[in-house]
Amino acid sequence: MHLRLRVWRQASATATGKLVEYDAPNISPDMSFLEMLDVVNERLMEKGDDPIAFDHDCREGICGSCSLMINGAAHGPMKATATCQLHMRSFRDGETIDVEPWRAKAFPVIRDLVVDRSALDRIIQAGGFISAATGGAQDANAILVPKTAADAAMDAAACIGCGACVAACPNASASLFTASKISHLGHLPQGQPERRRRVLSMVNQMELEEFGGCTLYGECQEACPKEISIDTISRMNGDFIRAGLTDWR
Amino acid sequence: MSRALRFYRSAIGKKVVMAVTGLIGIAFVIAHMTGNLLAFAGPEAINSYSHFLKSTGELLLVLRAVLIVAVILHVIAAAQLTIQNRAARPMGYVDREPQVSTWASRTMRWGGLLLLVFIVLHILHFTTGDLKPAGVFSTADVYGNIIASFRIWWVVLFYLISMIALGFHLYHGAWSSVRSLGLRQPSPNPLQRRVALAVAAIVWAGFVAVPVAVFVGLVG
Ligand code: HEM
Ligand code: FES
């Protein structure tokens, strides 16, 4: 394949960036999007140019490191697919592909396509855990979990924290991320003791990080590589209303 | 800080206020639209309905107060959320393609603003009579006011455009408000909004029926 890329280049957090055009001939349709960028980077380095910086780690769709706004869609055109799992055959030969970093006040650009997503970590730190005495593992069936609850919790727990929901949301809201983290514990018996405190602290942290609010556009659900449902957001709101009414004085 | 203020400080709290006031608005527009259709039953029907409403005295005042407070809260929360949401993305994308969001959801702000203008002009037009596009107004003769006004093409046009805005606002709002309040059960297709479509279509059709019927001469 022969592609043309327009890639956001920005030397540092404080530098001004711009879209730079690159010619990318001889790209195999079987490459992943990140492998394609690797090839482009090798060619850049051979010429003595700076390679394009982008985030990646597992390259198998489970770590949440990869990102990229590709042709105006978070993680590109394939549904339920992270950028590392996106193949070049999803594009047309000769196509011009725009590649931009996630954009949000809470996600400042560090360099080129790499943004700082630690705001999501701080939301988890605010309450995305359960407090339990550790020790020897207890019997797996000591706490009964209804199948429906286990399934719902697993669906929410599929969130890999990539931030595509924020990137895709016109309000740059982290509601889908926060809601899935709240749901995956809130569906389980182990998550109940801290359920109300959890929603209040995590929502509070989400707002401190200056994410936007939810208008229910639905873009986040479409962008999510793990297909997390906006139903979780409705659930978060329900928890928040109940907790706000009972726990605040 | 009081519980209510703390609640309102969060974006979810503001959305809850928007949802509750929006649902009050939906209940009102459905009732109002139904009342308007009495115009088809002739002058006595709608004039005596209007008379009946005014005869309820204090109750009408309370209802009006609730509606005005609801609109004010709805608009203030809308403005605050809009500012917060814009600030959350100071630098936009060069290339951004909306994937699934509806046009209705993306026009809540401008459409809402048009509705605000409409609400003010509409009250000045049919409630207080300060605006007299046809030159005549009588508090006792609602039917006469309707007929005189909706013979004027630009009055009809303004009402038609505003009601399209209302239809779109409700198509998103009737669906999102229930979700904002956390009342929605898990759904296999969460973007589905059949009930909201019905609410929007019925309210839209009911409201445009009267001006259009008067304009084409079916009524009056
Ligand atoms: C007849 C009058 C109106 C009705 C029945 C109505 C109804 C609604 C409803 C039900 C919602 C959904 C709330 C939610 O998702 O929780 C909504 C949202 C909204 N309304 Fe209205 N509304 C009216 C007038 C207005 C006006 C006058 C404005 C602005 C000047 C406005 C601006 C908005 C905005 C911006 C939203 C979206 C808020 C967000 O999600 O960020 N509305 N409206
Ligand atoms: S690199 Fe790990 S999810 Fe894409």
Side-chain angles (χ1 to χ4, degrees):
Chain A
M1 299 175 83
H2 190 156
L3 300 164
R4 267 157 43 99
L5 304 177
R6 296 202 305 161
V7 182
W8 186 262
R9 299 304 308 263
Q10 180 172 337
S12 70
T14 48
T16 44
K18 64 173 192 298
L19 282 182
V20 177
E21 283 207 24
Y22 296 98
D23 191 43
N26 299 325
I27 298 295
S28 157
D30 296 330
M31 286 176 180
S32 75
F33 200 86
L34 300 186
E35 286 166 337
M36 182 276 292
L37 287 179
D38 291 337
V39 168
V40 171
N41 274 346
E42 267 168 34
R43 294 174 188 163
L44 283 177
M45 286 187 287
E46 275 164 19
K47 284 198 294 179
D49 288 341
D50 269 345
I52 302 161
F54 62 90
D55 259 328
H56 61 102
D57 188 15
C58 72
R59 298 209 177 195
E60 53 185 54
I62 55 171
C63 75
S65 295
C66 60
S67 57
L68 306 186
M69 202 71 175
I70 302 169
N71 278 346
H75 287 302
M78 279 279 281
K79 205 171 154 53
T81 307
T83 296
C84 58
Q85 298 272 286
L86 174 69
H87 289 98
M88 296 317 293
R89 53 180 170 270
S90 307
F91 298 88
R92 276 178 292 105
D93 192 26
E95 190 169 344
T96 300
I97 305 175
D98 286 348
V99 191
E100 294 178 77
W102 288 169
R103 295 272 184 220
K105 174 124 194 259
F107 286 173
V109 172
I110 297 172
R111 186 189 173 110
D112 296 340
L113 302 170
V114 179
V115 300
D116 178 357
R117 285 172 283 186
S118 54
L120 299 184
D121 299 337
R122 289 188 292 273
I123 295 177
I124 300 275
Q125 282 162 13
F129 49 79
I130 59 162
S131 309
T134 53
Q138 59 181 330
D139 274 353
N141 56 3
I143 300 173
L144 296 180
V145 181
K147 171 83 169 111
T148 46
D151 286 351
M154 272 309 281
D155 286 349
C159 170
I160 54 177
C162 62
C165 44
V166 177
C169 175
N171 297 342
S173 171
S175 291
L176 192 64
F177 167 81
T178 309
S180 69
K181 297 302 175 194
I182 288 171
S183 280
H184 103 241
L185 298 173
H187 276 295
L188 298 172
Q190 295 90 332
Q192 298 314 310
E194 288 151 307
R195 183 165 169 184
R196 293 203 293 256
R197 204 189 323 150
R198 175 179 311 116
V199 67
L200 295 178
S201 344
M202 291 180 77
V203 167
N204 183 46
Q205 189 63 35
M206 170 172 79
E207 310 229 330
L208 289 178
E209 302 290 348
E210 301 186 77
F211 289 105
C214 177
T215 298
L216 286 151
Y217 292 108
E219 294 287 345
C220 55
Q221 170 182 290
E222 183 67 15
C224 177
K226 298 299 157 187
E227 299 189 284
I228 301 203
S229 165
I230 53 169
D231 283 340
T232 57
I233 298 178
S234 194
R235 202 183 138 87
M236 168 173 76
N237 281 23
D239 275 10
F240 184 82
I241 293 168
R242 233 162 288 130
L245 291 178
T246 53
D247 279 27
W248 277 340
R249 266 156 267 281
Chain B
M1 193 175 15
S2 84
R3 190 182 293 175
L5 267 182
R6 231 172 127 172
F7 191 70
Y8 187 79
R9 261 224 321 211
S10 86
I12 297 181
K14 292 191 189 72
K15 275 297 288 220
V16 167
V17 169
M18 296 212 66
V20 172
T21 54
L23 287 173
I24 292 174
I26 291 177
F28 166 74
V29 290
I30 291 175
H32 184 25
M33 180 272 292
T34 316
N36 288 1
L37 293 178
L38 285 173
F40 285 101
E44 295 78 37
I46 193 159
N47 282 352
S48 61
Y49 171 62
S50 141
H51 204 76
F52 159 73
L53 284 184
K54 280 169 202 146
S55 72
T56 57
E58 259 105 73
L59 184 63
L60 182 66
L61 285 184
V62 172
L63 276 180
R64 282 182 171 166
V66 168
L67 287 171
I68 288 176
V69 171
V71 169
I72 292 174
L73 290 178
H74 191 82
V75 172
I76 291 177
Q80 290 179 314
L81 282 175
T82 302
I83 292 169
Q84 177 183 345
N85 294 341
R86 294 252 161 99
R89 175 163 297 132
M91 169 143 193
Y93 295 101
V94 176
D95 182 0
R96 171 81 185 104
E97 289 297 324
Q99 307 288 314
V100 288
S101 55
T102 57
W103 195 74
S105 68
R106 283 179 269 124
T107 51
M108 291 306 271
R109 290 158 196 168
W110 288 111
L113 213 56
L114 174 60
L115 286 178
L116 183 61
V117 172
F118 173 80
I119 292 168
V120 172
L121 293 180
H122 178 57
I123 291 175
L124 293 176
H125 177 197
F126 278 136
T127 308
T128 66
D130 289 309
L131 288 178
K132 296 188 205 49
V136 289
F137 181 82
S138 152
T139 352
D141 185 15
V142 176
Y143 188 79
N145 298 338
I146 292 175
I147 302 297
S149 298
F150 290 146
R151 288 213 172 114
I152 304 167
W153 68 269
W154 53 266
V155 177
V156 176
L157 188 68
F158 175 64
Y159 274 77
L160 285 189
I161 293 174
S162 304
M163 288 310 102
I164 291 174
L166 179 62
F168 277 107
H169 203 81
L170 295 192
Y171 176 57
H172 185 73
W175 169 81
S176 70
S177 48
V178 190
R179 293 192 153 263
S180 298
L181 292 174
L183 299 175
R184 192 75 170 104
Q185 291 305 306
S187 144
N189 180 3
L191 290 175
Q192 183 62 256
R193 58 196 93 179
R194 262 174 283 185
V195 176
L197 178 62
V199 170
I202 291 170
V203 168
W204 176 80
F207 273 134
V208 300
V210 175
V212 169
V214 171
F215 191 67
V216 301
L218 274 175
V219 168

